[in-house]
Amino acid sequence: MKNIIIASTSTVYNSDYLAYLLPTLEEHFKHTDTILFIPYARPSGISHDDYTAKAKEAFKKIGKDVKGIHEFEDPIQAVKEAKGIFTGGGNTFLLVKQLYRTETITAIQNAVNNGTPYLGCSAGSNICGLTMETTNDMPITYPPSFKTFGFVPFNINPHYLDPIEGSTHMGETRETRINEFHTLNTQPVVGLREGSWIEVKGDSFILKGTLTARIFEQGKEAVEIAPETELNYLK
Amino acid sequence: MKNIIIASTSTVYNSDYLAYLLPTLEEHFKHTDTILFIPYARPSGISHDDYTAKAKEAFKKIGKDVKGIHEFEDPIQAVKEAKGIFTGGGNTFLLVKQLYRTETITAIQNAVNNGTPYLGCSAGSNICGLTMETTNDMPITYPPSFKTFGFVPFNINPHYLDPIEGSTHMGETRETRINEFHTLNTQPVVGLREGSWIEVKGDSFILKGTLTARIFEQGKEAVEIAPETELNYLK
């Protein structure tokens, strides 16, 4: 049974890395003392070691150890043996390129589909959708495909941001960008605000946190849905 | 001799489409009455016809006609015969995909390198750089490459936006994104604010408009440069 947390962000304003999620993560990863960390998205170009140290520090607060996938000689074997997986945020293009290059994309997909608990934040959440085509990131490198895990039958837009009222900037708003996505693609998009996450248990997808999420379906007006709403109707 | 205008945006706040650029365009396209328009970027999914009509309306004010490249049976021949080319803004991923699909990417590159006057706005400017890897757009479709025209030996970030002071949003600022680009890529990036453009005449690249631009070079602090600065030192 799939057991996944798809979080908009690792960090909410004025708070420590992962702090708002720790009570949830204690339950989520209760069957393991060690988490396999995927640092490939490298926010601000941070090294795999430094990024793993950051995750380690946060998980220590709930008594868990963290190992970076780059520490293993055989990353695919590391995924197969992991009892819990966490993919951190950063640049989605770089993350997806590395997942394909190391062929861990299929390994993680299989493991998580077979029940290994997974946590994604930001870029690590974006890849839980059908494609990475609703990322906010800059395309700083060219991945071999935009196809991602597809743990949910829709796309994720993490760090969802409402239009800024009274803005004089002529660049596209987030909503305009997602509407452009829907001129070429049919799958729904869940705009997840910072502090929200989707809890996946088997075929049940529930919005968690205190904020509403914004749901975009092709050919429909976008709607706000409340926390604890089941998202299973989206496909 | 190359003769190019690389504009951050087609439209400045509270103004009509292309209005702020029209005096410049009158001079830029003085040797032709007809402009070939590349509508492939389709902002908000607008049709090629509707987008071309919009460009036509703007250019009418300076006595020029506009023809969309999609109106021609042979788009490559249309590019070869054009006396002026304008690529409009919209989604850079879609634009680049269509340029490769129609093989007009090489045709336009050759024409403009041989002196056909070119205007780019937003996505149409982004592709004047070495790669499209500093676009702000959502990757709504997968192009066969991120390589673009390379009319200038650096990358463009159009609609450059300064960090919003006091923001509580945890998503990356534009500057953070460009710094991430520089963890993997060496070419400089010019952050062009809305209302600015680069005038290319042969090997001379000059910042135009009333605003400063922000220059990002790998391993250096970003700097502001004043209008009328020569950008030839960037490589």
Tab-separated table of all heavy atoms in Angstrom, chain A residues 40-68:
chain	number	residue	atom	x	y	z
A	40	TYR	N	19.667	14.919	-4.595
A	40	TYR	CA	20.032	15.279	-5.968
A	40	TYR	C	19.573	16.684	-6.398
A	40	TYR	O	20.142	17.253	-7.332
A	40	TYR	CB	19.457	14.264	-6.961
A	40	TYR	CG	20.023	12.862	-6.899
A	40	TYR	CD1	19.251	11.774	-7.328
A	40	TYR	CD2	21.310	12.608	-6.451
A	40	TYR	CE1	19.754	10.477	-7.302
A	40	TYR	CE2	21.818	11.313	-6.415
A	40	TYR	CZ	21.035	10.250	-6.844
A	40	TYR	OH	21.523	8.966	-6.824
A	41	ALA	N	18.552	17.245	-5.766
A	41	ALA	CA	18.021	18.544	-6.233
A	41	ALA	C	18.907	19.730	-5.830
A	41	ALA	O	18.764	20.825	-6.385
A	41	ALA	CB	16.600	18.758	-5.727
A	42	ARG	N	19.815	19.494	-4.871
A	42	ARG	CA	20.858	20.458	-4.488
A	42	ARG	C	20.433	21.932	-4.502
A	42	ARG	O	20.921	22.713	-5.322
A	42	ARG	CB	22.070	20.278	-5.409
A	42	ARG	CG	22.687	18.880	-5.349
A	42	ARG	CD	23.892	18.749	-6.259
A	42	ARG	NE	24.902	19.737	-5.884
A	42	ARG	CZ	25.851	20.192	-6.702
A	42	ARG	NH1	25.906	19.757	-7.951
A	42	ARG	NH2	26.712	21.080	-6.284
A	43	PRO	N	19.571	22.368	-3.577
A	43	PRO	CA	19.156	23.781	-3.557
A	43	PRO	C	20.364	24.704	-3.420
A	43	PRO	O	21.259	24.431	-2.612
A	43	PRO	CB	18.249	23.878	-2.332
A	43	PRO	CG	18.605	22.696	-1.490
A	43	PRO	CD	19.031	21.622	-2.440
A	44	SER	N	20.397	25.759	-4.218
A	44	SER	CA	21.517	26.708	-4.249
A	44	SER	C	22.850	26.029	-4.516
A	44	SER	O	23.902	26.547	-4.169
A	44	SER	CB	21.607	27.520	-2.950
A	44	SER	OG	20.433	28.265	-2.773
A	45	GLY	N	22.820	24.826	-5.117
A	45	GLY	CA	24.058	24.150	-5.475
A	45	GLY	C	24.793	23.507	-4.304
A	45	GLY	O	25.938	23.081	-4.441
A	46	ILE	N	24.155	23.424	-3.155
A	46	ILE	CA	24.735	22.775	-1.959
A	46	ILE	C	25.226	21.362	-2.319
A	46	ILE	O	24.652	20.704	-3.188
A	46	ILE	CB	23.645	22.737	-0.844
A	46	ILE	CG1	24.165	22.238	0.497
A	46	ILE	CG2	22.441	21.917	-1.280
A	46	ILE	CD1	23.094	22.301	1.619
A	47	SER	N	26.290	20.888	-1.648
A	47	SER	CA	26.826	19.551	-1.976
A	47	SER	C	25.902	18.468	-1.424
A	47	SER	O	25.106	18.711	-0.515
A	47	SER	CB	28.227	19.386	-1.383
A	47	SER	OG	28.135	19.211	0.023
A	48	HIS	N	26.021	17.264	-1.977
A	48	HIS	CA	25.225	16.131	-1.476
A	48	HIS	C	25.492	15.896	0.012
A	48	HIS	O	24.562	15.635	0.786
A	48	HIS	CB	25.540	14.872	-2.286
A	48	HIS	CG	25.046	14.930	-3.709
A	48	HIS	ND1	25.587	14.195	-4.724
A	48	HIS	CD2	24.043	15.641	-4.281
A	48	HIS	CE1	24.953	14.445	-5.855
A	48	HIS	NE2	24.014	15.337	-5.615
A	49	ASP	N	26.759	16.015	0.413
A	49	ASP	CA	27.110	15.808	1.829
A	49	ASP	C	26.460	16.857	2.733
A	49	ASP	O	25.873	16.523	3.762
A	49	ASP	CB	28.642	15.884	2.011
A	49	ASP	CG	29.318	14.555	1.693
A	49	ASP	OD1	28.598	13.536	1.606
A	49	ASP	OD2	30.547	14.540	1.519
A	50	ASP	N	26.599	18.122	2.339
A	50	ASP	CA	26.056	19.193	3.186
A	50	ASP	C	24.535	19.100	3.276
A	50	ASP	O	23.933	19.352	4.326
A	50	ASP	CB	26.451	20.568	2.631
A	50	ASP	CG	27.934	20.863	2.860
A	50	ASP	OD1	28.585	20.093	3.586
A	50	ASP	OD2	28.430	21.861	2.300
A	51	TYR	N	23.921	18.747	2.149
A	51	TYR	CA	22.460	18.670	2.145
A	51	TYR	C	21.994	17.509	3.040
A	51	TYR	O	21.029	17.634	3.817
A	51	TYR	CB	21.963	18.492	0.706
A	51	TYR	CG	20.517	18.843	0.477
A	51	TYR	CD1	19.767	19.526	1.431
A	51	TYR	CD2	19.891	18.491	-0.724
A	51	TYR	CE1	18.434	19.850	1.190
A	51	TYR	CE2	18.568	18.812	-0.971
A	51	TYR	CZ	17.843	19.483	-0.008
A	51	TYR	OH	16.523	19.796	-0.249
A	52	THR	N	22.729	16.406	2.959
A	52	THR	CA	22.378	15.247	3.786
A	52	THR	C	22.551	15.576	5.273
A	52	THR	O	21.722	15.177	6.115
A	52	THR	CB	23.249	14.036	3.387
A	52	THR	OG1	23.039	13.782	1.987
A	52	THR	CG2	22.874	12.789	4.182
A	53	ALA	N	23.596	16.344	5.588
A	53	ALA	CA	23.822	16.742	6.990
A	53	ALA	C	22.638	17.554	7.516
A	53	ALA	O	22.230	17.414	8.680
A	53	ALA	CB	25.116	17.548	7.096
A	54	LYS	N	22.091	18.382	6.636
A	54	LYS	CA	20.941	19.219	7.028
A	54	LYS	C	19.716	18.340	7.349
A	54	LYS	O	19.005	18.566	8.334
A	54	LYS	CB	20.635	20.182	5.868
A	54	LYS	CG	19.630	21.262	6.193
A	54	LYS	CD	19.481	22.238	5.030
A	54	LYS	CE	18.302	23.167	5.294
A	54	LYS	NZ	18.058	24.082	4.180
A	55	ALA	N	19.476	17.356	6.492
A	55	ALA	CA	18.345	16.446	6.722
A	55	ALA	C	18.574	15.623	7.989
A	55	ALA	O	17.659	15.398	8.788
A	55	ALA	CB	18.170	15.531	5.513
A	56	LYS	N	19.833	15.210	8.181
A	56	LYS	CA	20.195	14.405	9.357
A	56	LYS	C	19.881	15.168	10.649
A	56	LYS	O	19.317	14.622	11.598
A	56	LYS	CB	21.695	14.086	9.279
A	56	LYS	CG	22.150	12.880	10.090
A	56	LYS	CD	23.678	12.775	10.121
A	56	LYS	CE	24.270	12.039	8.951
A	56	LYS	NZ	24.403	10.582	9.144
A	57	GLU	N	20.247	16.449	10.650
A	57	GLU	CA	20.040	17.286	11.836
A	57	GLU	C	18.551	17.372	12.192
A	57	GLU	O	18.166	17.314	13.362
A	57	GLU	CB	20.612	18.685	11.540
A	57	GLU	CG	20.798	19.540	12.765
A	57	GLU	CD	21.108	20.991	12.399
A	57	GLU	OE1	21.801	21.219	11.381
A	57	GLU	OE2	20.635	21.889	13.121
A	58	ALA	N	17.717	17.508	11.181
A	58	ALA	CA	16.278	17.623	11.430
A	58	ALA	C	15.700	16.301	11.944
A	58	ALA	O	14.940	16.281	12.923
A	58	ALA	CB	15.559	18.051	10.153
A	59	PHE	N	16.071	15.208	11.314
A	59	PHE	CA	15.490	13.910	11.686
A	59	PHE	C	15.992	13.408	13.035
A	59	PHE	O	15.340	12.582	13.681
A	59	PHE	CB	15.735	12.874	10.584
A	59	PHE	CG	14.653	12.861	9.544
A	59	PHE	CD1	14.811	13.542	8.342
A	59	PHE	CD2	13.451	12.198	9.777
A	59	PHE	CE1	13.804	13.552	7.395
A	59	PHE	CE2	12.441	12.179	8.831
A	59	PHE	CZ	12.607	12.867	7.627
A	60	LYS	N	17.161	13.928	13.442
A	60	LYS	CA	17.705	13.559	14.763
A	60	LYS	C	16.700	13.918	15.868
A	60	LYS	O	16.599	13.224	16.875
A	60	LYS	CB	19.014	14.335	14.971
A	60	LYS	CG	20.002	13.665	15.888
A	60	LYS	CD	21.303	14.456	15.925
A	60	LYS	CE	22.122	14.047	17.137
A	60	LYS	NZ	23.350	14.852	17.216
A	61	LYS	N	15.945	14.996	15.642
A	61	LYS	CA	14.984	15.469	16.652
A	61	LYS	C	13.871	14.460	16.902
A	61	LYS	O	13.176	14.545	17.907
A	61	LYS	CB	14.392	16.822	16.217
A	61	LYS	CG	15.428	17.938	16.209
A	61	LYS	CD	14.873	19.237	15.619
A	61	LYS	CE	16.011	20.242	15.407
A	61	LYS	NZ	15.647	21.301	14.451
A	62	ILE	N	13.645	13.545	15.947
A	62	ILE	CA	12.663	12.485	16.195
A	62	ILE	C	13.354	11.116	16.231
A	62	ILE	O	12.728	10.079	15.978
A	62	ILE	CB	11.493	12.504	15.176
A	62	ILE	CG1	12.008	12.443	13.718
A	62	ILE	CG2	10.625	13.746	15.370
A	62	ILE	CD1	10.906	12.171	12.688
A	63	GLY	N	14.661	11.144	16.548
A	63	GLY	CA	15.377	9.888	16.802
A	63	GLY	C	15.656	9.037	15.584
A	63	GLY	O	15.808	7.811	15.706
A	64	LYS	N	15.722	9.670	14.410
A	64	LYS	CA	16.004	8.899	13.182
A	64	LYS	C	17.365	9.301	12.623
A	64	LYS	O	17.754	10.466	12.694
A	64	LYS	CB	14.960	9.188	12.086
A	64	LYS	CG	13.523	9.167	12.526
A	64	LYS	CD	12.926	7.785	12.435
A	64	LYS	CE	11.481	7.811	12.914
A	64	LYS	NZ	11.065	6.489	13.447
A	65	ASP	N	18.034	8.338	12.015
A	65	ASP	CA	19.271	8.631	11.300
A	65	ASP	C	18.957	8.804	9.812
A	65	ASP	O	17.934	8.304	9.318
A	65	ASP	CB	20.275	7.497	11.510
A	65	ASP	CG	21.683	7.926	11.083
A	65	ASP	OD1	21.940	9.143	10.972
A	65	ASP	OD2	22.510	7.035	10.847
A	66	VAL	N	19.819	9.529	9.121
A	66	VAL	CA	19.639	9.781	7.686
A	66	VAL	C	20.915	9.393	6.959
A	66	VAL	O	22.018	9.731	7.412
A	66	VAL	CB	19.307	11.268	7.434
A	66	VAL	CG1	19.435	11.624	5.962
A	66	VAL	CG2	17.909	11.604	7.943
A	67	LYS	N	20.768	8.664	5.855
A	67	LYS	CA	21.925	8.362	4.999
A	67	LYS	C	21.655	8.889	3.594
A	67	LYS	O	20.554	8.692	3.059
A	67	LYS	CB	22.156	6.849	4.931
A	67	LYS	CG	22.874	6.293	6.147
A	67	LYS	CD	23.762	5.119	5.756
A	67	LYS	CE	24.418	4.450	6.942
A	67	LYS	NZ	25.014	5.338	7.934
A	68	GLY	N	22.651	9.563	3.011
A	68	GLY	CA	22.494	10.075	1.647
A	68	GLY	C	22.691	8.956	0.631
A	68	GLY	O	23.567	8.090	0.826
